[in-house]
Amino acid sequence: MTSAESTVVFVDRVARMTCVRTTAQDEWRAAVQLCGELDIANADELSDELNAHLDAGRRVIRVDASQVRFIDSTAVGALVEANSRCRELHGSLILTGVQRPLRRLLQVAGLDQILLLDTANCG
């Protein structure tokens, strides 16, 4: 699987930080870890990662959002689109580790009624 990278610029160096990566997978399931900032710069990579799992026949995708510091509407849209495709294929996309700011954003947008949120162990 691929991973998206964000660029972090420090005064003395530039660092790349992985924001989307698959941490586990088998024939039917995948676990994807998100971290840092997800926005228009890396929403395509998020979409590509999730679609690659669906294309490979995986129907249960757990997306760990516990390390997400920021997410914009483009990245949220990628999650909604992947969720829609997953449902069409009779699968489940489950967001785990959703921290309070992201959970609030999803509630305000009404997306907590569309996306499956595992609220156990959330801040």
Side-chain angles (χ1 to χ4, degrees), residues 51-72:
N51 281 318
H53 287 300
L54 293 169
D55 292 344
R58 296 181 188 96
R59 297 298 178 256
V60 177
I61 302 174
R62 295 184 68 83
V63 178
D64 181 354
S66 63
Q67 295 179 29
V68 172
R69 291 189 316 266
F70 173 83
I71 189 166
D72 77 355

Side-chain angles (χ1 to χ4, degrees), residues 96-123:
T96 66
V98 180
Q99 300 301 310
R100 192 165 299 161
L102 176 54
R103 190 168 58 244
R104 180 72 180 131
L105 170 80
L106 296 174
Q107 288 170 339
V108 167
L111 296 174
D112 62 326
Q113 302 300 310
I114 295 169
L115 297 170
L116 209 82
L117 304 179
D118 180 352
T119 56
N121 301 320
C122 292

Side-chain angles (χ1 to χ4, degrees), residues 38-91:
L38 296 164
D39 54 28
I40 195 167
N42 53 19
D44 286 343
E45 288 86 359
L46 171 59
S47 183
D48 291 347
E49 188 84 7
L50 297 173
N51 281 318
H53 287 300
L54 293 169
D55 292 344
R58 296 181 188 96
R59 297 298 178 256
V60 177
I61 302 174
R62 295 184 68 83
V63 178
D64 181 354
S66 63
Q67 295 179 29
V68 172
R69 291 189 316 266
F70 173 83
I71 189 166
D72 77 355
S73 60
T74 310
V76 170
L79 290 170
V80 170
E81 286 178 24
N83 180 68
S84 177
R85 183 167 176 227
C86 198
R87 284 186 178 195
E88 288 172 4
L89 297 168
H90 307 287

